[in-house]
Amino acid sequence: MCDAAEHLVNPNVPLNQISGVNSMRIAVTILALLGSLCAAFLGMTWLSDSSSKAGEIRQMEQLASELEQGSAGAVFGADSLATLQANLAKIRNARRAGWLLLLGAAASGICGVLVLLKKLAVRPAAITMIASSILPALFVPVSLAFSFFLLVAGGLGFLVKDTDQPAAAV
């Protein structure tokens, strides 16, 4: 009988006493799923926003290049150029972080969940989840608010016991 069916037949037995069920593994799985969904949502939002405003972004880049060359410098001045370049840098960072969040963090969270469900080695998945939640935050620190659950899942992944690992040969 599988573990879930065993719990349904005898609900008085706690889940953590049924063979093969590790409550920490369940918690990390849920957090990794939640974190990957949040990261995918934020990544998709940023990517859709940047693609819908692609024409305006190109105009801003063209204006910045004209200001750097000096052809429109008399109209706008050096302060406008610095502000425009700072805004363009923020947009580029958000695009880069959007791709990293969308592809990296969401895929890492899903892979982490699969590793946890298959009861494979958890530590490499935990390291990947931590790295994929921190990397986008290097570009846009606000992204950590959405990939926080993935970061926590990666940290808690180190506490999951690998009970199914075969004993090492002596």
Side-chain angles (χ1 to χ4, degrees):
M1 182 180 308
C2 75
D3 297 333
E6 186 176 337
H7 180 69
L8 290 175
V9 171
N10 190 1
N12 295 331
V13 177
L15 273 175
N16 60 358
Q17 290 182 0
I18 298 173
S19 64
V21 175
N22 186 345
S23 57
M24 184 61 75
R25 187 179 296 272
I26 293 169
V28 171
T29 301
I30 292 170
L31 284 171
L33 263 177
L34 185 62
S36 63
L37 290 175
C38 288
F41 169 75
L42 183 63
M44 290 294 290
T45 302
W46 281 351
L47 289 175
S48 68
D49 288 350
S50 70
S51 66
S52 67
K53 304 287 185 186
E56 295 173 17
I57 293 170
R58 262 187 254 112
Q59 287 177 351
M60 287 176 63
E61 289 172 344
Q62 183 180 11
L63 180 61
S65 67
E66 288 175 3
L67 282 173
E68 286 174 355
Q69 294 171 357
S71 62
V75 177
F76 290 107
D79 292 338
S80 297
L81 176 62
T83 304
L84 184 60
Q85 287 176 338
N87 288 339
L88 281 173
K90 286 180 184 178
I91 291 170
R92 285 187 203 108
N93 284 341
R95 277 184 178 174
R96 195 174 300 131
W99 278 107
L100 288 172
L101 275 173
L102 177 65
L103 298 177
S108 169
I110 298 299
C111 289
V113 167
L114 292 176
V115 164
L116 287 165
L117 291 177
K118 295 279 187 180
K119 297 182 181 180
L120 300 172
V122 179
R123 283 177 179 64
I127 291 169
T128 306
M129 285 189 276
I130 290 171
S132 65
S133 65
I134 290 176
L135 191 60
L138 295 176
F139 298 108
V140 182
V142 145
S143 67
L144 202 54
F146 282 80
S147 62
F148 175 74
F149 293 114
L150 197 57
L151 182 66
V152 171
L156 290 177
F158 289 107
L159 301 177
V160 173
K161 295 178 183 172
D162 293 331
T163 56
D164 297 338
Q165 301 266 339
V170 179

